[in-house]
Structure formats: C-alpha cells, structure tokens
Amino acid sequence: MTSHVKNTLVTTAAIAGALAATTLFNTTTVKADTTNSAPVTTTTSATKDTAIASAQAKVNSASAAVVSAQAAYGSASTAASDAAAKTAAASASAAATSAATSSAVANAQAAADSAATAKSTADANLAKAQSTAAATSRAKSMTSAAVVSAQSAVASASAKASDADSAVASAEAGQTVTANLMKFDDPTQASAAQQYFATKTAIVKLLPSGQVQITIPLTSGLKYLKEVSYNGVDATFTKTGDDSANITFTADPATSYTLAMTMDITSVMPFMPIMHEKALLDVDTTIFNGLLAAKSAADAALTSAQAALSTAETNAATVAQVASKAASAATAAATVASDAAVAATSAATNLTSAQAANSTAQAALTSAQVAQSAADAVLATAKANLDSANAALTSAQAELKSAQNIVVVTPASSAASSASSAASSASSTDSSAASSASSAASSASSTDSSAASSASSTASSAGSAASSATNSAASTATATSNVASSASTTTVTSAVVATPATTKKATSSTPASSTTAKTLPQTGNENQSALVALGLAILTLGIYPMMKRKHA
C-alpha cells in the first residue's frame, strides 16, 4: 500500500477517534447553566428517546457509509497509485525507447535515403549502360552487315577484275581474227596481193599500251613482196619458210588499216617495173577496245572493295569490342542496381522497425496514461463519495446532538431516576468512545509513525474528554438526587445525554449541595472511570504494535 493511502487511512482513523471522543464529551456533560446553550425543545421523555433513537440510527448508518466510502477510497487510491506508477514506468520506458530509437530512426532514415540515392544512381547507370550496350550491339550488327556487304563487294569486284584480267590476258596472248586485203580505191574488190595471204586471217594481240599488234600470215610471195608499212612505219617480216613470213605492225584498234606495199616481180617479168601499191587491210581490232580500261576499273573497284572490307572489318572489330565492354558494363550495373535495391529494402525495413519500436513505446505510454486517467476519475468519485458520507455523518451527529439537547419536563419525584439514567447513558457512551478511540488507534497501527502519533494523541484526547464527561454526568446525578431529597420541584435544563445502549443505574456520590445551583459540581463515577481507563488501555495496545512495527 502506498504512503498516500496509508496517510489517508491514518488520518481517517484519527478523525474517527476525535469524533468519538467529542461525541462522548458532548453527550456526557450536564450543564446547569443554559445561558450560552442552543435553543432547546421541551417534550416528554418518550418523545426524546424516540428522537434520539432515530438520530442514533442515522449516525450508525452514516458511519457505515463512511466506512464503506473509506474502503472504496482506499481501493481507488491504491489503483490510482498503481496506475501512476505504471504511467511513470511507461513514461520512463517511452523516454528511454525514444532516446534509443531516435538515433536508430535517424540512422535508419539516413541509411534509407542513402540507399535510395544509391539505388537511383545505380538504376540510372544501368539504364545508360543498357542503352549503350543496345546501341553498340546495333552498331556491331551494322558493322557486321557492312563487313558481309564489303566481302560481297570484294568478291564481286574480284570476279570482275578476274574477268577483266582474263580478257586482257587473252587479248595479250593474241587472237586470230578474219582479215582481207582489199583494193584501196575499191574496198569491195580483193587486192591483187590477197593471193599471197591465203589464210585471210590475222593474229591480233593487245599491247599494255592499249595499242594492238597485228600479224598478217604471208603464205607465199615473199620473194616478190619487199616492203609493207603502216602510217610510214615499216612492218616487221618474220620468215616462217622459204617463201613465207609473218608481217607484223602496231596500230591503234580500228576496223581497217591502209597498208603501203612494194612489189618487185622483175625476176619473172623483167619488163615489169617495181610497183608501189596501197591495199586496205580489213581487220577488226576494236574488240580489244576498253579491255584495259575495264581491267583498270575492275582492279580499282576490287581495291576499293578490299579497302572498304578492311575498314568494315576494323570498324566491326572496334564496335564489337565496344559492345562487349558495354555489355559487361550493363551486367555490372545490373548487379550494382540489384545490390542497391536490396540495401534500400533492408534500410527501409530497419527504418520501419525503428519507427515501430518507438510507436509501441508511445502506445504503451498512452495506454498507461488512459488507465491512470480512469483510475484518477474513480479516485475522484470515491473521494466525493467519502466527502458526502462524512457530510452525512456530520449531519446525523448534529441531529443526534440536537435530539440529546431536548429538555424533558419531569416531576420532582422522578428527577433522581432521570439523573441515574443520564449517568448510565454517559457510562455506555464512555465505553463507545473508548472503543472508537481504540479502533482508530488500531487502524493507525498499519500506517507510518507520524499517523500513529496523531491517532494516539486523538485517542488520548478522547479519553480525557470521556473522563470529564463521566465526572460531569456523575455530578449531575448527585445534584439531581439532592434536589429530589429536598422535595423541591426543579426542572433540569440543558441536559445533554446519549442514547442508552442498556439501562444501568448510576452510583451517585455525596451531593455537594442540597440546592439547585447554576454550575453543578463534577465528581467522578466509578463505572465511568473504569470504562475510560479501559478505552485508554485498548488505545495504548493498538498504538504499541504500530510503533514497534515502525521502528523494527
């Protein structure tokens, strides 16, 4: 139980003891002087007893309500104290968690941001690398296609060059073509010299210069044909037999050539002069026109195609290397991007965990605060109920006191009996006051030493008050008895009595005076003193264990 609850119970016990003592004091004092007393009501004894009984019942009910409210207040105080402790623990835990997690959250947030940035950079690099790889791959395909195309062009050019080379080689080797000697002045008529060129053919060769070498086979008449020239250039005679030879001259490609011939037939016909005639050689050598140009073009095309192929192959090799590097870079970028994604996910998870831990601690604190608020509300309600019960008890005690202050008009002959009843009631009330003081001390024994001291003082005051009240009641009884002895009819005023639990006959002491006085002498009654002593003993027995436990 907390100190707050202990102090509350101790204080309540002390108040109860004080109230008991005060009630005992107030209900056992007989006042003869009514100068300062409250207004009284004169009635019969039966009516007063009924009023006192009713008020006493209300006091008892209010006392029970106070005890119940005190128990509820104690329970609510304990619950509120526990809730406050839990709230304090949750607050400390939340503070510690917040202090621990704030750094973790900040670090996790920074890590998550860094990982997200790294992932974004890695993704951008990956996209760029993939784009480069795709571009280089396309370039590689294009250069590969260019290489194939260049190879095809080389093959074609090579074939053409080969054909041109073959044609030129064939032309350079010489070809036999049709050739006829026609009259110069009548190309439609065969020349007289045609008889010596019986094959009617010519061998044509292509020269590197582009000209052609024409060879005319002279089958006979070598002894007569002395000279042959073309454009003033003598032809070359190469003997192939006694009367035959090959006549060769060089010229540009053409379809016919005018040859100058010198014929000497004087050996057979002395009277014939040496003849100088012209004959038209009808031979087509233009078949070789363009062969060298074609060969040159084919060779140039081949060379160009080969250069293009070489360039394409170089480009293809370069692009292939770039594409390979780009593909490797894309693969590496993909790995980096994947790692960055994993790191970003992990960082986000760590951040979520840190935030969840902080949220959990805050939720626990909020729950504890709600529980504390509820407990405080219950405590406030219990306090209000206790205050209401105490107010009701105070009201009932006031009603009881008012009933006890009722003045009863009795005959003189019965004054002694009334005094005896008052003394008996005071004795019973003394016993109740002592018992209440003992209960207050016993309740205080479970609390701290300061509360115990307070309860002890209250009980001691209650005992003193009870003793005084007993003496006052005894004095009242003695005075009343004296009045009865002298047969004087006197009305007792302001008699304050408690509701008797049992009817006991009070033992009167020797009267101090035989006449009615304003202030009655107070003497102790033996039974009342014994009850007071018993109450103080019980109170002391209740305080002693408490003090012993406090100092243990």
Side-chain angles (χ1 to χ4, degrees), residues 252-308:
D252 293 328
T255 57
S256 62
Y257 302 91
T258 301
L259 300 177
M261 296 180 178
T262 300
M263 301 295 293
D264 182 8
I265 61 173
T266 59
S267 60
V268 292
M269 297 178 74
F271 57 88
M272 292 293 295
I274 297 174
M275 295 181 295
H276 299 283
E277 294 183 0
K278 290 182 180 180
L280 187 62
L281 179 62
D282 186 8
V283 57
D284 187 7
T285 62
T286 58
I287 58 174
F288 294 152
N289 280 343
L291 288 181
L292 293 178
K295 180 180 182 303
S296 178
D299 290 341
L302 176 59
T303 300
S304 177
Q306 289 172 336

Side-chain angles (χ1 to χ4, degrees), residues 43-52 406:
T43 185
T44 63
S45 177
T47 302
K48 178 177 181 178
D49 289 343
T50 300
I52 290 175
I406 295 174

Side-chain angles (χ1 to χ4, degrees), residues 232-248:
V233 177
D234 292 340
T236 301
F237 284 76
T238 303
K239 290 181 68 173
T240 59
D242 292 341
D243 198 26
S244 60
N246 288 329
I247 300 172
T248 303

Side-chain angles (χ1 to χ4, degrees), residues 147-331:
V147 168
V148 173
S149 177
Q151 289 173 340
S152 177
V154 167
S156 177
S158 179
K160 290 180 180 180
S162 178
D163 292 342
D165 289 341
S166 297
V168 169
S170 177
E172 289 178 344
Q175 294 182 11
T176 301
V177 297
T178 302
N180 292 304
L181 282 175
M182 307 302 290
K183 289 181 179 181
F184 177 74
D185 55 359
D186 187 3
T188 62
Q189 298 295 321
S191 172
Q194 179 65 62
Q195 59 181 322
Y196 302 117
F197 299 97
T199 61
K200 297 181 179 182
T201 60
I203 299 173
V204 180
K205 290 183 180 182
L206 180 63
L207 299 177
S209 62
Q211 292 181 315
V212 292
Q213 181 185 43
I214 303 171
T215 300
I216 304 172
L218 182 64
T219 58
S220 63
L222 179 59
K223 56 184 178 292
Y224 303 118
L225 188 59
K226 301 301 182 183
E227 292 179 357
V228 176
S229 63
Y230 172 70
N231 288 338
V233 177
D234 292 340
T236 301
F237 284 76
T238 303
K239 290 181 68 173
T240 59
D242 292 341
D243 198 26
S244 60
N246 288 329
I247 300 172
T248 303
F249 65 93
T250 300
D252 293 328
T255 57
S256 62
Y257 302 91
T258 301
L259 300 177
M261 296 180 178
T262 300
M263 301 295 293
D264 182 8
I265 61 173
T266 59
S267 60
V268 292
M269 297 178 74
F271 57 88
M272 292 293 295
I274 297 174
M275 295 181 295
H276 299 283
E277 294 183 0
K278 290 182 180 180
L280 187 62
L281 179 62
D282 186 8
V283 57
D284 187 7
T285 62
T286 58
I287 58 174
F288 294 152
N289 280 343
L291 288 181
L292 293 178
K295 180 180 182 303
S296 178
D299 290 341
L302 176 59
T303 300
S304 177
Q306 289 172 336
L309 174 59
S310 178
T311 300
E313 288 175 342
T314 301
N315 291 339
T318 301
V319 171
Q321 186 176 10
V322 172
S324 178
K325 290 182 178 179
S328 298
T331 300

